[in-house]
Amino acid sequence: MIIRDMFADDINRKINGVIKVDQAADDVIEQELNEYVITRELKKHFITFFNYYGDAFDQPTADMGVWISGFFGSGKSHFLKMLSYLLENKEVNGIRTVERFRKKFEDDLGTFMQVDRATKGETETILFNIDYEGSINKDKTAVLRVFAKVFYNHLGFFGSNLKVAMLEQYITQQGKMDEFCRLIEEKKGKPWTEVRKAFAFNGKFIKPALAEALDISEEDANNWFNDKSATELSVSQLVEDINAYVSTKPANFRLLFMVDEAGQYVGTDTDMLLNLQSLVEKIGSECRGKVWVVCTGQEAIDEIIKVRADEFSRIQARFKTRLSLSSSSVDEVIQKRILKKTPEAERTLDAVYEKESSGMRNLFSFTNAMPDIKGFSGPAQFAEDFPFVPYQFLIMQKIFVEIRKHGNAGKHFSGGERSMLSGFQEAAQKVEKQNEFALVPLFRFYDTVHSFLDGSIRNVIDRCSKAVENHDGLEPMDVDVLKLLYLIRYVNEDIPANLDNLVILMADDIRLEKVAMREKLRGSLDRLIGQNYIGRTGDTYNFLTDEEQDIQKEINLTQVDTGA
């Protein structure tokens, strides 16, 4: 049976491997909602959140902060986005989000009832990545200004320019906004939403429209327009505007600021931490649970402030709901979103396991590796993970984290342009035309990160590939071995790069003859050492960067004076 035909869903369908909160096209949202996997861990977090959130409808609270922490690949941005759609009960292509989630909670109706109850009232969410919305120059009021920008944008004002937003707010309060917009379009021939983007260059249209709509003198209109002083905004003023807005809504109305990457944006900057603390504290005390702030960050809130815990104790009190996501359930997501098999494929793989189980136990016998680096536990796991091996889910999480720390070209990879999900999908696509005995060798994952790696890494792989093309003493297999050695470069404590382990990591078929593969691999390693692409320490092999290759050449050229 061809691997491509084994999957319940098309392995070549477009999957949004990295979730970005600003992606809002209906087709993207629909796929994200339909394919969102609520793992056992995530279910606990949904329960915790909706317990706190639901209680606030009955008992007003000032503790309206939620902090979602988790490192790269843990799914915190995805969780935040799904939470946003759930709370707003967003309708996508005629179906409400809560209805889409009914099936996901079919084994836990109690939790679904909590979700359903909490979303009965009118809810608005302001979902944004604070790093995208914030200005390049961060100062001590940076957090306040980003919150102001997204809030006034939400109201339909021009949040990117507070002077314009304040004007729009005033005109709206006077009940003259429609009239003002009509006058602008009449005079300029363009809608106000376009004109305001370049308001400084449209004075001759804006000033007379202001004077006429607000019934003020031309002099007053001129004074406002020509005032070059910075528009000041305090925490109190912003919260007053937020509270005034929610006060116009029904009693069970809720507004949520859902802030992705808040932890990274604020970091350990004392001024910005104080700004966030002041803002969240003021929203809590003034709005009493009608307005919530939900943030994500790689670190838990208490980790961010631990250096000066006394000074920032109030921020801890406000972020009472803390959800810590791990990457431990990433295999469950991949199994359900990408690797789910058809009934026929499951029967085929059960038969393969029954026939080849003893050989597979021998194949996946690692040497001096961590205990959790292992093969299949039984037929169910084989059918679930195929064409991957259980150790790959664990080791690839660590590899992605380490590459992110050591081997990437700046911020691009750290921004998450590649995820575990897309990595596994792309690796599976490489073997889609093979049969039920094929496996994905670990080196296949290299291509999913290649374009994001630092030049010193890519140059080595590219130079090796060219040497193969030019028949300069290397063979095609040598490139794959080099890719493998790069991937496991930083995880040698988990899985030492000795010959026996490398044979297993290169396995592309469950019927692999280890003895024959061992000899082929030994020849490949010898060629790579001979051309200075890799080094050897004891019985382990290691990838050499350009700089390390230069050092190794110096060592090789050094003549040892044995007579000294």
Side-chain angles (χ1 to χ4, degrees):
M1 188 175 189
I2 300 300
I3 289 175
R4 180 180 56 213
D5 298 335
M6 291 184 175
F7 302 113
D9 297 307
D10 183 6
I11 192 64
N12 292 302
R13 75 192 188 281
K14 185 175 181 180
I15 289 180
N16 194 17
V18 174
I19 300 303
K20 297 178 181 176
V21 297
D22 57 343
Q23 290 176 322
D26 276 359
D27 57 335
V28 172
I29 295 172
E30 184 171 32
Q31 185 188 35
E32 287 178 1
L33 289 170
N34 289 342
E35 296 191 10
Y36 188 62
V37 176
I38 298 180
T39 62
R40 290 180 291 275
E41 179 188 65
L42 286 175
K43 185 173 289 185
K44 292 177 185 175
H45 292 319
F46 274 110
I47 291 170
T48 301
F49 174 81
F50 280 101
N51 275 339
Y52 278 113
Y53 185 75
D55 287 348
F57 283 93
D58 304 318
Q59 184 65 45
T61 180
D63 301 332
M64 32 43 74
V66 180
W67 193 273
I68 304 167
S69 60
F71 286 101
F72 173 76
S74 61
K76 59 186 182 296
S77 295
H78 205 177
F79 181 72
L80 181 75
K81 196 172 187 181
M82 293 301 103
L83 204 55
S84 169
Y85 294 155
L86 251 185
L87 290 164
E88 204 168 52
N89 201 7
K90 188 178 182 71
E91 183 177 314
V92 181
N93 291 334
I95 303 175
R96 292 278 180 186
T97 299
V98 171
E99 279 306 305
R100 291 182 189 273
F101 270 67
R102 186 183 294 273
K103 282 186 180 180
K104 301 179 192 295
F105 286 105
E106 61 186 359
D107 60 341
D108 188 355
L109 290 178
T111 300
F112 180 77
M113 288 174 67
Q114 275 188 308
V115 173
D116 194 38
R117 173 178 174 264
T119 55
K120 289 294 187 189
E122 183 186 348
T123 304
E124 293 174 11
T125 62
I126 304 175
L127 177 67
F128 62 101
N129 183 310
I130 191 168
D131 201 33
Y132 295 168
E133 297 293 344
S135 63
I136 296 173
N137 300 317
K138 298 179 184 178
D139 59 23
K140 61 184 180 181
T141 63
V143 176
L144 170 66
R145 285 186 285 107
V146 177
F147 270 70
K149 174 185 175 181
V150 297
F151 174 65
Y152 293 125
N153 281 343
H154 183 71
L155 299 188
F157 303 147
F158 192 49
S160 297
N161 187 312
L162 285 179
K163 178 177 179 176
V164 178
M166 296 294 100
L167 174 70
E168 292 173 313
Q169 184 183 43
Y170 177 75
I171 297 173
T172 301
Q173 289 169 348
Q174 302 306 307
K176 300 292 186 179
M177 195 64 197
D178 289 343
E179 174 67 5
F180 175 71
C181 290
R182 184 189 66 76
L183 288 167
I184 288 289
E185 188 151 9
E186 181 182 285
K187 296 175 187 297
K188 174 69 175 177
K190 290 183 179 180
W192 166 243
T193 50
E194 286 187 30
V195 173
R196 67 186 183 181
K197 293 176 185 176
F199 87 100
F201 302 99
N202 285 290
K204 73 176 196 176
F205 307 110
I206 294 172
K207 289 185 283 188
L210 269 179
E212 187 174 341
L214 295 177
D215 193 22
I216 60 176
S217 68
E218 288 186 16
E219 182 182 358
D220 288 340
N222 277 326
N223 289 340
W224 173 84
F225 189 87
N226 296 326
D227 184 2
K228 303 300 182 186
S229 59
T231 303
E232 297 295 334
L233 181 72
S234 66
V235 167
S236 294
Q237 184 182 345
L238 176 61
V239 175
E240 184 180 323
D241 285 351
I242 293 170
N243 202 20
Y245 176 68
V246 298
S247 297
T248 64
K249 302 289 185 177
N252 62 354
F253 173 81
R254 294 292 181 269
L255 174 68
L256 293 97
F257 290 88
M258 311 200 75
V259 195
D260 198 23
E261 301 296 2
Q264 279 183 285
Y265 186 77
V266 173
T268 55
D269 185 291
T270 303
D271 286 334
M272 286 202 284
L273 277 168
L274 282 169
N275 200 210
L276 178 63
Q277 176 173 275
S278 301
L279 182 59
V280 173
E281 191 172 27
K282 190 69 172 174
I283 290 173
S285 61
E286 295 295 322
C287 303
R288 303 296 297 167
K290 285 182 172 291
V291 180
W292 286 62
V293 177
V294 185
C295 296
T296 71
Q298 290 193 3
E299 295 179 289
I301 187 68
D302 43 357
E303 283 295 310
I304 291 175
I305 67 168
K306 66 181 178 183
V307 179
R308 304 175 72 170
D310 293 340
E311 189 175 352
F312 297 108
S313 59
R314 299 198 306 277
I315 200 172
Q316 281 186 295
R318 289 295 172 256
F319 284 101
K320 188 174 181 180
T321 308
R322 301 175 200 171
L323 310 176
S324 178
L325 275 62
S326 71
S327 300
S328 61
S329 58
V330 69
D331 52 345
E332 190 179 343
V333 175
I334 291 168
Q335 286 157 356
K336 290 181 178 178
R337 285 196 69 184
I338 297 176
L339 303 180
K340 186 179 178 182
K341 309 297 191 305
T342 64
E344 183 186 357
E346 289 178 350
R347 290 190 293 272
T348 298
L349 293 170
D350 282 346
V352 169
Y353 187 86
E354 185 177 349
K355 181 180 178 182
E356 305 290 343
S357 58
S358 60
M360 282 193 280
R361 278 192 295 273
N362 176 60
L363 174 58
F364 298 109
S365 299
F366 290 94
T367 303
N368 298 326
M370 296 293 283
D372 49 2
I373 304 295
K374 53 192 175 183
F376 303 102
S377 61
Q381 189 177 42
F382 178 66
E384 204 168 42
D385 290 351
F386 183 86
F388 299 98
V389 188
Y391 81 84
Q392 292 174 330
F393 294 95
L394 179 68
I395 207 71
M396 280 309 302
Q397 286 185 58
K398 295 183 178 182
I399 287 171
F400 268 82
V401 169
E402 292 302 325
I403 288 176
R404 186 169 172 263
K405 279 196 259 182
H406 301 288
N408 67 85
K411 64 183 181 181
H412 302 291
F413 189 79
S414 63
E417 269 72 14
R418 277 293 176 266
S419 72
M420 288 282 289
L421 196 65
S422 54
F424 272 78
Q425 184 190 27
E426 290 170 28
Q429 289 168 346
K430 301 280 187 183
V431 299
E432 65 176 335
K433 295 180 182 178
Q434 298 183 41
N435 62 24
E436 65 269 24
F437 298 103
L439 293 171
V440 175
L442 195 68
F443 73 81
R444 291 287 186 193
F445 288 94
Y446 174 84
D447 292 337
T448 71
V449 299
H450 172 81
S451 61
F452 296 93
L453 297 178
D454 187 82
S456 64
I457 305 298
R458 294 200 312 269
N459 290 343
V460 175
I461 303 292
D462 292 342
R463 196 166 61 247
C464 183
S465 299
K466 286 178 182 175
V468 172
E469 291 173 13
N470 297 332
H471 306 290
D472 288 342
L474 294 179
E475 298 180 9
M477 177 182 176
D478 303 344
V479 181
D480 297 336
V481 173
L482 190 60
K483 290 177 179 178
L484 171 63
L485 286 171
Y486 170 69
L487 288 176
I488 62 173
R489 172 181 170 89
Y490 300 108
V491 294
N492 52 12
E493 289 186 8
D494 294 275
I495 184 164
N498 55 53
L499 185 58
D500 289 336
N501 289 342
L502 293 175
V503 167
I504 301 169
L505 299 176
M506 288 291 292
D508 59 1
D509 193 294
I510 61 175
R511 303 161 299 182
L512 180 77
E513 291 287 342
K514 289 180 81 171
V515 175
M517 183 60 175
R518 184 185 175 92
E519 291 310 306
K520 284 179 64 179
L521 187 55
R522 193 195 304 275
S524 181
L525 293 166
D526 287 345
R527 288 189 295 274
L528 289 168
I529 288 176
Q531 296 210 18
N532 207 39
Y533 286 100
I534 66 174
R536 179 174 177 174
T537 306
D539 66 347
T540 62
Y541 299 85
N542 58 289
F543 177 95
L544 298 177
T545 64
D546 279 336
E547 184 179 346
E548 290 165 341
Q549 287 181 27
D550 291 339
I551 295 170
Q552 188 64 45
K553 283 176 187 174
E554 291 294 327
I555 294 171
N556 292 343
L557 291 171
T558 301
Q559 298 297 315
V560 179
D561 186 356
T562 56

